[in-house]
Amino acid sequence: MKLHTTAILLLFWLGIFTVHTVKGSASSEAMRKFKCVNLSTSRLNIQNLVRYERQQIPINAIMFITARGIRICVSPDQKWVQTAIKTIDEKRTAKHK
């Protein structure tokens, strides 16, 4: 009787662990990566930008991330965007020296 109960409990916990692991990895992967689907036409204040990410799919874009974690997608072809990228890169290299 003890063996039967132990086997049932083992299968139960194994099932719970499997469901939790699969659900956690699939949903967290989808939430981790943000994609630009449309672009802002507004010029942003470079002082508020702390990071950027380049994206080519589904559209060619630069995603700026502000100090508050807000993500804003813009066209990489604009001159101010190139200036902002250069400024962020310079700040990053200055911190690592």
Side-chain angles (χ1 to χ4, degrees):
M1 184 69 163
K2 284 185 180 181
L3 184 60
H4 181 68
T5 304
T6 304
I8 290 173
L9 284 173
L10 181 64
L11 287 172
F12 172 76
W13 286 113
L14 184 61
I16 294 294
F17 177 76
T18 303
V19 169
H20 178 71
T21 303
V22 170
K23 182 180 177 186
S25 64
S27 63
S28 62
E29 183 65 31
M31 293 301 291
R32 232 181 286 147
K33 191 67 176 169
F34 293 92
K35 296 284 186 185
C36 297
V37 291
N38 54 19
L39 302 176
S40 172
T41 56
S42 301
R43 183 179 173 142
L44 306 175
N45 183 349
I46 296 175
Q47 261 56 30
N48 296 334
L49 306 176
V50 293
R51 285 186 19 233
Y52 68 92
E53 296 174 10
R54 295 181 191 274
Q55 173 187 300
Q56 293 181 333
I57 299 172
I59 58 175
N60 191 21
I62 298 293
M63 180 189 301
F64 285 117
I65 297 100
T66 68
R68 292 186 173 183
I70 298 170
R71 298 169 185 273
I72 304 159
C73 299
V74 295
S75 171
D77 301 329
Q78 300 177 60
K79 181 132 178 79
W80 74 266
V81 172
Q82 297 302 318
T83 303
I85 289 172
K86 184 177 178 183
T87 303
I88 292 169
D89 287 343
E90 288 171 354
K91 285 181 187 177
R92 189 178 316 153
T93 55
K95 284 183 181 180
H96 292 298
K97 286 185 177 182

